[in-house]
Amino acid sequence: VQLQASGGGLVQAGGSLRVSCAGPPHSYNNYNMGWFRQAPGKERDFVAGINWSGTRTSYADSVKGRFTVSRDNAKKLMYLQMNSLKPDDTAVYYCAAQFVSDWGSVVSRAWSDYNHWGQGTQVTVSS
């Protein structure tokens, strides 16, 4: 299963950026989706997630109120709108997909629960 993240770049502190994730290409409605990030020398951390229908979301405390996750099931795309960016947001951002058979399942914050990963896109926030 292939995921493709895009949209990263360099932005000044206080600015905005939107990253996108394409895929999985098949059975898209059977996947909860998530965004994780990893800064140099640090662990991969949960950022935001969204359930298969887009009706439930979850955010890390550090991004709550600044980031918004969404998805378009018809286009098989997921987005992460990032506003009021801070230098601490600098990291490689990864999208991930978790296959779910229970459509009532909650959005997981554990990277080990996700079956498929994209290649990552770099987000750099300058001070």
Side-chain angles (χ1 to χ4, degrees):
V1 175
Q2 189 171 7
L3 304 180
Q4 184 74 36
S6 62
L10 174 64
V11 63
Q12 289 187 331
S16 298
L17 202 62
R18 188 178 79 163
V19 291
S20 303
C21 176
H26 304 295
S27 303
Y28 189 76
N29 288 6
N30 282 111
Y31 289 92
N32 287 354
M33 301 292 294
W35 287 100
F36 291 77
R37 66 186 181 187
Q38 188 167 21
K42 295 188 177 181
E43 296 184 347
R44 188 171 298 190
D45 292 330
F46 173 80
V47 176
I50 188 166
N51 75 330
W52 68 273
S53 63
T55 56
R56 299 179 185 175
T57 57
S58 180
Y59 296 93
D61 288 344
S62 60
V63 307
K64 200 171 295 182
R66 301 188 297 123
F67 291 12
T68 303
V69 61
S70 61
R71 64 190 290 168
D72 184 333
N73 284 6
K75 296 181 179 179
K76 301 178 182 178
L77 289 170
M78 175 179 64
Y79 306 100
L80 184 67
Q81 177 67 43
M82 302 181 287
N83 298 329
S84 301
L85 282 160
K86 305 174 182 179
D88 284 348
D89 295 318
T90 295
V92 177
Y93 282 70
Y94 297 92
C95 59
Q98 178 195 17
F99 184 84
V100 292
S101 55
D102 176 7
W103 286 6
S105 62
V106 298
V107 176
S108 175
R109 297 181 171 218
W111 66 265
S112 58
D113 286 340
Y114 288 79
N115 315 100
H116 309 288
W117 292 82
Q119 84 289 359
T121 185
Q122 176 71 46
V123 172
T124 303
V125 184
S126 63
S127 57

